[in-house]
Amino acid sequence: MGGFSYKDIYIEDGRSVLEVNILPEKNCNFDCIFCPIGRAQNKVDTQKSFDKMDSSLRELEKKIENTKAELIFINSKGEAFVNDKIDDIVDLIKGRGLPVRLFSNGYLLGKDEYMKIANKCDEVVGELKVVTEEDFQKAQRPIKGYTLVEYISNMVTFNKQYKGKFIFEITIIRGYNDDEKSIRKIKNIINEISPDKIIIARMDDKRFEKKLGIPDERFVEISNALLNI
Ligand code: SF4
């Protein structure tokens, strides 16, 4: 096993999107208890080499040609920045004249070396799932020394200097951030980060939906409150 994997091409806002995962297995700086990919053996926030990268880059080039994709979305099994070929991947896509959207949990966006890579992308997605330090440590189980305060300030720092479209995805999770106090906190965080677009999501993975899912009515209420600030 190794190399990149792809989702079937789909249309979003009239554009055909090619979604590519550039990590052969989970490599993340967090180990969230609700991670859809599963448990991480080792958490990582430095770059490393993966097998089959040359052939994967050639394959990506072919896919771009064959699918006539209009946007390439790098959405990986974990944190895409840790693939040491990410810069080449972004350059390859940009070299074909196509826009790139990069998904990150957002923690590394404050680090210079990763910020430079993200700055080359037309769209960057960062996310938020919990709003207290305790929940961050317990539910997202990040690398030792990470804090929620730094997490948010990394995204704030990034977006202050970023010229592209910053998309902030907030997942509403029952028992973690669905109460009024949390919603007020999230509003403040949105104001601090000042994203270009907000996406409100909820746990839709069947394994976690029963325990962490939000009923439709409450989800609509929270979405309206957060999207209309
Ligand atoms: S940040 Fe995303 S990929 Fe990483 S452990 Fe959490 S849910 Fe999984």
Side-chain angles (χ1 to χ4, degrees):
M1 282 292 285
F4 301 168
S5 56
Y6 298 85
K7 273 195 180 169
D8 287 340
I9 199 148
Y10 55 87
I11 305 291
E12 183 195 283
D13 298 333
R15 279 192 300 188
S16 52
V17 182
L18 178 63
E19 198 169 317
V20 55
N21 155 39
I22 64 166
L23 298 170
E25 66 274 318
K26 179 169 170 178
N27 280 273
C28 197
N29 47 353
F30 296 177
D31 185 20
C32 301
I33 55 170
F34 33 66
C35 180
I37 309 160
R39 292 294 309 271
Q41 299 306 318
N42 295 302
K43 286 172 255 192
V44 55
D45 65 0
T46 48
Q47 290 195 317
K48 57 191 225 183
S49 303
F50 294 94
D51 291 341
K52 300 185 182 171
M53 283 300 113
D54 289 344
S55 57
S56 293
L57 280 162
R58 287 196 298 274
E59 181 193 46
L60 173 62
E61 211 168 1
K62 270 197 195 128
K63 286 254 180 202
I64 289 173
E65 264 172 47
N66 296 343
T67 58
K68 308 262 181 288
E70 293 165 292
L71 171 74
I72 311 301
F73 182 14
I74 302 172
N75 185 15
S76 297
K77 287 183 178 171
E79 183 49 80
F81 283 129
V82 305
N83 184 328
D84 67 358
K85 289 287 179 292
I86 186 160
D87 211 23
D88 297 339
I89 296 165
V90 172
D91 285 349
L92 183 152
I93 302 164
K94 297 297 296 174
R96 300 291 170 282
L98 288 175
V100 184
R101 176 187 297 156
L102 173 69
F103 191 96
S104 164
N105 62 31
Y107 205 100
L108 298 179
L109 288 172
K111 281 195 169 189
D112 278 355
E113 64 269 36
Y114 299 126
M115 196 184 272
K116 271 187 199 139
I117 297 166
N119 280 342
K120 290 185 183 181
C121 300
D122 302 80
E123 300 178 15
V124 171
V125 186
E127 59 172 2
L128 182 83
K129 288 196 164 96
V130 297
V131 289
T132 69
E133 196 62 56
E134 195 188 348
D135 285 345
F136 181 54
Q137 300 302 332
K138 279 193 184 156
Q140 299 206 263
R141 301 183 296 199
I143 284 179
K144 204 162 179 271
Y146 278 25
T147 65
L148 181 67
V149 172
E150 190 177 56
Y151 185 12
I152 294 160
S153 89
N154 284 344
M155 287 191 272
V156 172
T157 305
F158 171 72
N159 201 29
K160 273 204 176 123
Q161 56 83 60
Y162 181 51
K163 305 271 186 295
K165 179 176 179 179
F166 188 70
I167 303 166
F168 189 39
E169 183 174 312
I170 303 143
T171 307
I172 305 300
I173 305 175
R174 192 200 299 180
Y176 284 93
N177 61 9
D178 59 333
D179 59 299
E180 288 310 317
K181 193 174 166 204
S182 300
I183 302 305
R184 279 198 299 279
K185 271 193 183 176
I186 296 173
K187 283 183 181 174
N188 290 337
I189 294 167
I190 290 173
N191 283 331
E192 262 191 279
I193 294 178
S194 189
D196 299 280
K197 181 178 171 180
I198 300 165
I199 296 175
I200 311 295
R202 59 180 158 175
M203 283 287 159
D204 49 11
D205 187 304
K206 288 278 170 275
R207 288 166 292 177
F208 309 113
E209 204 180 2
K210 202 167 166 203
K211 196 162 172 240
L212 304 172
I214 301 286
D216 291 347
E217 204 180 313
R218 181 66 181 141
F219 183 66
V220 170
E221 200 175 62
I222 294 173
S223 298
N224 287 338
L226 295 177
L227 292 171
N228 293 314
I229 57 170

